[in-house]
Amino acid sequence: MSIVVTGATGHLGRHVIEQLLEKVPAGEVTAVVRDESKAADLAARGVRLAVADYNTPGTFDGLFKAGDKVLLISGNEFDKGRVQQHRVVIEAAKAAGVSLLAYTSAPGSLTAALADDHRATEEVLLSSGLPYSLLRNGWYHENYTENLAPVLAHDAVVQAAGAGRIASASRADYAAAAVAVLTGEGHENTTYELSGDEAWGFAEYAAELSRQTGKEIVYNSVSPETFTSILTGAGLPEVFAGILAGVDVSIEKGELAGTPGDLSRLTGRPTTPVAEAVAAALKG
Ligand SMILES: NC(=O)c1ccc[n+]([C@@H]2O[C@H](COP(=O)([O-])OP(=O)(O)OC[C@H]3O[C@@H](n4cnc5c(N)ncnc54)[C@H](OP(=O)(O)O)[C@@H]3O)[C@@H](O)[C@H]2O)c1
């Protein structure tokens, strides 16, 4: 029996593996990776590696064992049919008879197009009959704090979210919730709406950046169309830029502002304040 984590060499996956290693022996953890060389450090620490790709169903044959607990980290290839990719993992887990499949989904309140793949994957998982846990992750602080270069270059936070608020949390917080579910008991057939304890708006975010940098940084709220063209101008593919602008529309409607407290209840501690993520990013 193993705790198996897909997307293990991604940002969230790395946090999950790190935190798992604080709780269970390395030999009980399997990291599913596409590129073994990216996980050499994990193998050296005794983590088992399995090489598989969501696009190649055969690579998941025999990967899972009966009784495994699996974390399916959603993929990031928007153009490759993520629902089908996730189905491949769910079907392999079903064939093996795993005891839990946890999936990193999107908040139930999110109506933006970004949520479509997640809702469809949830349906596939629920109809598989597998014991499931839906980890409906809210927004990461790092979506903003790891993209500070244009903000600092122009002394402006540019978004299309009006006065909307976001209850974001750090990737490490979401990873801690996943680890609690994977290592704890009684999480079968559960849905968690995971978010930060406090919601903030972009005007406050700009004020926090001003405070920490000593510069005067303002918030410019633009239309979704303008935001899309700014993002494409910066080199983002049009489809992805449109998806991100759609998320801002959802933020303005308050769809990412919920603070039900599921995340801090699962982890037993408050979530990381966004100001801390800003400080970490500015420190480099
Ligand atoms: N809640 C949020 O704010 C937010 C923000 C961004 C993304 N997300 C979602 O949450 C997921 C995890 O976030 P993250 O920050 O860890 O993203 P990330 O760093 O981009 O990691 C994505 C992971 O998915 C793996 N992957 C992608 N396509 C795959 C395939 N065809 N087969 C096998 N593995 C594949 C990647 O493998 P490699 O390591 O080999 O590249 C990587 O490990 C993302 O993929 C996305 O679905 C959520």
Side-chain angles (χ1 to χ4, degrees):
M1 204 202 87
S2 205
I3 295 177
V4 187
V5 180
T6 74
T9 45
H11 292 92
L12 180 67
R14 282 219 162 253
H15 281 291
V16 171
I17 300 279
E18 249 348 287
Q19 295 187 37
L20 276 175
L21 292 178
E22 290 169 14
K23 291 203 168 181
V24 297
E28 290 176 19
V29 178
T30 301
V32 182
V33 301
R34 285 192 285 193
D35 178 353
E36 223 168 344
S37 69
K38 277 174 76 177
D41 59 317
L42 300 179
R45 293 164 72 188
V47 172
R48 291 192 245 170
L49 299 188
V51 179
D53 189 316
Y54 300 156
N55 296 314
T56 315
T59 58
F60 281 91
D61 287 350
L63 192 154
F64 302 116
K65 302 278 178 281
D68 281 352
K69 288 185 174 177
V70 179
L71 175 64
L72 166 54
I73 292 188
S74 49
N76 57 4
E77 298 174 319
F78 290 89
D79 54 338
K80 290 209 176 137
R82 290 194 299 168
V83 182
Q84 178 53 29
Q85 292 183 331
H86 300 155
R87 186 192 304 274
V88 161
V89 180
I90 292 166
E91 286 180 352
K94 173 77 180 170
V98 309
S99 60
L100 183 75
L101 192 142
Y103 170 67
T104 61
S105 192
S109 51
L110 187 65
T111 61
L114 180 72
D116 293 352
D117 287 349
H118 293 295
R119 294 286 89 81
T121 301
E122 289 186 357
E123 275 177 34
V124 173
L125 178 52
L126 263 62
S127 60
S128 75
L130 275 174
Y132 65 86
S133 183
L134 302 180
L135 306 176
R136 289 182 167 169
N137 288 349
W139 226 212
Y140 303 154
H141 293 328
E142 291 89 343
N143 295 339
Y144 305 107
T145 59
E146 286 181 352
N147 292 297
L148 285 180
V151 173
L152 299 178
H154 301 286
D155 291 341
V157 173
V158 180
Q159 297 283 158
R165 302 176 75 73
I166 311 170
S168 62
S170 69
R171 283 198 190 94
D173 292 332
Y174 294 109
V179 167
V181 165
L182 292 166
T183 58
E185 298 297 326
H187 297 290
E188 292 79 12
N189 307 330
T190 51
T191 299
Y192 296 109
E193 296 288 346
L194 303 173
S195 60
D197 295 336
E198 283 173 31
W200 51 270
F202 283 107
E204 283 163 68
Y205 179 65
E208 183 59 31
L209 283 168
S210 302
R211 196 182 66 77
Q212 292 200 29
T213 60
K215 299 168 78 169
E216 197 183 325
I217 297 175
V218 298
Y219 169 41
N220 287 339
S221 186
V222 297
S223 70
E225 295 72 26
T226 303
F227 190 51
T228 305
S229 62
I230 290 171
L231 294 177
T232 51
L236 250 67
E238 193 147 350
V239 173
F240 193 50
I243 286 176
L244 291 183
V247 169
D248 271 23
V249 171
S250 281
I251 290 171
E252 182 160 27
K253 290 189 208 155
E255 293 176 6
L256 287 178
T259 54
D262 286 8
L263 180 41
S264 49
R265 264 193 301 279
L266 271 176
T267 62
R269 59 169 170 75
T271 60
T272 308
V274 70
E276 237 176 74
V278 168
L282 289 174
K283 232 166 116 188

